[in-house]
Amino acid sequence: MPKISSDTLWELAAAEVHSRGTEAGEADGGEPVSERTVFLIGSKAGGKTSILLRCLDRDEPSKPTLALEYTFGRRARGHNTPKDIAHLWELGGGISLSDLVQIPITPANIRSLSVILVLDLSKPNAMWATMEKLLQATQAHLEKVSSQTQQAQKAKPGAKQQALVHSAARVLPKDYPDRELISPFPVPLLIIGSKYDIFQESDSDKKKVVSKTLRFIAHYYAASLIFTSIKSENLMSKTKNLFSHLAFGLDRGKTVSCDSTKPLVIPAGSDSFSQIGSPPTTDVDITSLHAKNPKDLWKKIYERVFPQENTSEQRELKDPAKDPQYSEPQIDAMRAQKDQELDQYKRNAAKSWRGLELET
């Protein structure tokens, strides 16, 4: 097992998987084992774990994600060949634990990293705030790590290091639609609209607003977009294709569906601003909205249709122990007792210090 410089649980697990993969590669003839990292973020209770388990063909019940969880997947390239490894991280708690994005994103994996954003289609009034907060936090840390990596490599002269610097940046094909008008996410991004089975029962006009808005956001970030439901084998099959493309480098499939009356399936590069059209609005004068840029304009119109919920309470919730979904009555009661004992100890200690000060 390789020497480990960090004692965090997640990095210990990742190192263990790495060592097993290396041993497997050597045992099968020394061929290099491909390793990729996929980071799942998204709506609280939006179905991230259920989708991940289905994509990995794991028949087990899903449980609420506690803060940040790690697992891995393996896939053989062929008969008697080493298995490629996908390191899979899942962030729980919606936007409340967005500070934890710094753990899965490291200089060691940034060139093989992909991000999956799962948005709960059944809760459109929380969708934009969730998307904006998580993508901003993730992008900010990606850019920070990328900058640190490039500075470190530039400090070491040599053609090999310089080549790595250039390969760290995401480069789109020259014929990518609207290449000069979009702002590609630093790493490959897949946006999954979950719970389509509930969303499809919504008002048709509101469905059109959600669909066109997510099409715009996906194209703006050069991301893939798919609407899915764990209750639909067909949709989950298409979702698995896009997931496997990020996790194992497999073909992402050729299905494309841009019809807002049907589940969207739009691989990156398959859409364009001309096909998406203008923001869907009939009762708002677009010229009256003081938008800074096209993305801000879509945001203002979307929030007119779906006023966003107050997320201040979620942002303040940094301790998973205070989150109702992780409640354990016996443990919580014991902790409450210990907290009371600690408070009493502090009060007694304060009295003792005041007594010493008076004597002095």
Side-chain angles (χ1 to χ4, degrees):
M1 181 164 178
K3 183 178 180 181
I4 301 173
S5 59
S6 171
D7 58 357
T8 65
L9 177 61
W10 297 294
E11 293 189 3
L12 285 170
E16 174 66 17
V17 174
H18 176 77
S19 66
R20 292 179 183 178
T22 301
E23 293 169 1
E26 293 174 351
D28 289 328
E31 295 182 34
V33 176
S34 171
E35 295 190 34
R36 298 170 185 247
T37 301
V38 180
F39 184 25
L40 281 82
I41 56 179
S43 303
K44 182 177 180 179
K48 296 184 294 295
T49 304
S50 298
I51 292 172
L52 178 59
L53 290 175
R54 291 288 293 275
C55 288
L56 293 174
D57 294 326
R58 293 182 183 174
D59 185 16
E60 58 187 83
S62 62
K63 299 178 181 179
T65 302
L66 178 61
L68 183 67
E69 295 189 1
Y70 169 84
T71 187
F72 65 91
R74 289 182 174 180
R75 187 178 183 90
R77 304 178 199 175
H79 187 61
N80 292 330
T81 59
K83 292 183 178 181
D84 293 333
I85 300 173
H87 301 283
L88 309 169
W89 296 84
E90 182 185 347
L91 179 67
I95 66 174
S96 64
L97 301 172
S98 58
D99 291 346
L100 295 180
V101 301
Q102 59 187 308
I103 294 177
I105 303 172
T106 67
N109 67 21
I110 192 171
R111 285 186 295 274
S112 62
L113 177 72
S114 301
V115 173
I116 296 178
L117 172 66
V118 179
L119 298 173
D120 189 343
L121 295 174
S122 69
K123 298 179 180 178
N125 293 85
M127 197 178 69
W128 188 285
T130 298
M131 171 185 65
E132 187 172 56
K133 175 69 174 179
L134 290 175
L135 288 184
Q136 285 179 350
T138 304
Q139 183 166 358
H141 192 66
L142 281 168
E143 292 173 350
K144 178 182 178 181
V145 171
S146 180
S147 177
Q148 292 173 345
T149 303
Q150 292 186 21
Q151 290 176 5
Q153 291 175 338
K154 288 179 180 178
K156 300 177 181 179
K160 184 176 181 180
Q161 286 77 15
Q162 293 300 321
L164 289 175
V165 171
H166 294 295
S167 66
R170 185 184 180 194
V171 180
L172 297 179
K174 293 183 178 180
D175 59 348
Y176 197 94
D178 306 309
R179 190 170 184 268
E180 303 300 325
L181 302 176
I182 62 177
S183 180
F185 203 68
V187 298
L189 172 65
L190 168 61
I191 299 176
I192 298 178
S194 64
K195 302 183 182 180
Y196 181 79
D197 54 303
I198 301 176
F199 175 72
Q200 66 179 345
E201 303 299 330
S202 304
D203 176 78
S204 59
D205 290 337
K206 291 186 176 181
K207 284 197 298 184
K208 185 177 180 181
V209 173
V210 173
S211 297
K212 290 193 68 173
T213 300
L214 287 182
R215 283 181 64 187
F216 172 85
I217 290 298
H219 186 56
Y220 179 80
Y221 283 118
S224 296
L225 172 66
I226 187 170
F227 286 179
T228 194
S229 168
I230 59 172
K231 297 181 179 180
S232 170
E233 292 294 335
N234 183 40
L235 291 178
M236 281 308 307
S237 176
K238 293 180 173 64
T239 304
K240 184 178 178 181
N241 287 340
L242 291 174
F243 168 83
S244 298
H245 174 69
L246 299 179
F248 303 109
L250 301 182
D251 182 32
R252 64 185 185 183
K254 299 180 180 180
T255 302
V256 178
S257 175
C258 301
D259 188 348
S260 61
T261 64
K262 300 177 181 178
L264 298 181
V265 183
I266 310 177
S270 303
D271 214 345
S272 67
F273 288 142
S274 61
Q275 293 177 8
I276 297 170
S278 59
T281 176
T282 56
D283 58 349
V284 179
D285 182 7
I286 294 182
T287 59
S288 66
L289 299 177
H290 301 288
K292 303 175 183 177
N293 49 55
K295 181 167 168 279
D296 191 41
L297 176 63
W298 280 81
K299 175 183 178 180
K300 290 181 181 298
I301 293 176
Y302 183 85
E303 291 181 341
R304 285 286 187 95
V305 181
F306 300 104
Q308 296 298 281
E309 298 173 352
N310 185 2
T311 57
S312 59
E313 181 179 346
Q314 289 180 297
R315 285 195 294 267
E316 292 172 0
L317 183 60
K318 297 297 182 182
D319 186 357
K322 298 178 182 178
D323 194 323
Q325 72 170 316
Y326 306 128
S327 63
E328 292 287 349
Q330 294 181 341
I331 296 176
D332 293 342
M334 185 178 296
R335 174 167 179 160
Q337 179 183 340
K338 294 299 181 182
D339 287 342
Q340 292 177 358
E341 293 175 0
L342 178 60
D343 290 339
Q344 184 62 45
Y345 174 80
K346 290 179 179 178
R347 286 193 292 269
N348 293 339
K351 290 178 182 179
S352 299
W353 279 107
R354 282 198 294 269
L356 289 174
E357 290 173 356
L358 289 174
E359 291 177 5
T360 303

